[in-house]
Amino acid sequence: MRIQEAARHLGVSARVLRHYEAAGLIEPQRISNGYRSYSAAEIERAAWVRDLIASGFSTRELRNPLRALEGGRRGARVNCSAVMQQKLDQIDRAIAVLRKRRRALSRRLTEPDRGRSNT
């Protein structure tokens, strides 16, 4: 599958796939004319990368878990689960901070003495 078809299949742009490749997250094969060719396995890997980036991971954060999985190291899945759990904990902490900020702002809006003005 060529890059445009792969991009349509994944719901991303060809530029995104090139970015994943430049970051070392995917490695499509090159055919004789230099075009990229995506196997089913590479499409699956790109989908995994896309989903984890949408979940809050950066491309840099994904490098080590991907290397562990492709290297077939023992415990790689456990390590990946730990990395995902750490990200989930980080997101939970960010949500707690945002909730605290929201409550403080809401109090300012509802308590006339604290808000002082509507501007």
Side-chain angles (χ1 to χ4, degrees), residues 4-86:
Q4 291 298 331
E5 186 180 358
R8 270 192 307 277
H9 178 78
L10 292 164
V12 298
S13 67
R15 184 176 180 196
V16 166
L17 291 178
R18 285 187 209 99
H19 175 70
Y20 293 172
E21 182 181 0
L25 301 175
I26 61 172
E27 291 183 43
Q29 298 296 312
R30 295 286 182 149
I31 52 180
S32 60
N33 60 7
Y35 290 170
R36 292 167 179 87
S37 177
Y38 294 84
S39 66
E42 204 61 36
I43 294 292
E44 185 177 332
R45 182 178 172 122
W48 191 76
V49 168
R50 177 204 59 206
D51 293 348
L52 287 175
I53 288 173
S55 298
F57 282 90
S58 68
T59 54
R60 189 170 18 103
E61 290 173 316
L62 292 177
R63 282 191 193 126
N64 288 334
L66 283 171
R67 283 190 195 123
L69 285 174
E70 75 187 12
R73 291 196 307 232
R74 294 191 83 157
R77 292 213 183 272
V78 173
N79 291 339
C80 289
S81 293
V83 168
M84 286 188 250
Q85 184 60 55
Q86 289 170 354

Side-chain angles (χ1 to χ4, degrees), residues 66-114:
L66 283 171
R67 283 190 195 123
L69 285 174
E70 75 187 12
R73 291 196 307 232
R74 294 191 83 157
R77 292 213 183 272
V78 173
N79 291 339
C80 289
S81 293
V83 168
M84 286 188 250
Q85 184 60 55
Q86 289 170 354
K87 179 54 84 173
L88 189 58
D89 294 343
Q90 179 186 19
I91 291 168
D92 287 341
R93 286 190 301 274
I95 289 170
V97 168
L98 289 172
R99 283 186 176 141
K100 184 177 177 182
R101 290 178 184 171
R102 187 185 189 293
R103 282 191 303 270
L105 185 56
S106 181
R107 276 194 308 270
R108 286 215 173 259
L109 286 171
T110 58
E111 296 176 14
D113 292 342
R114 291 188 137 189

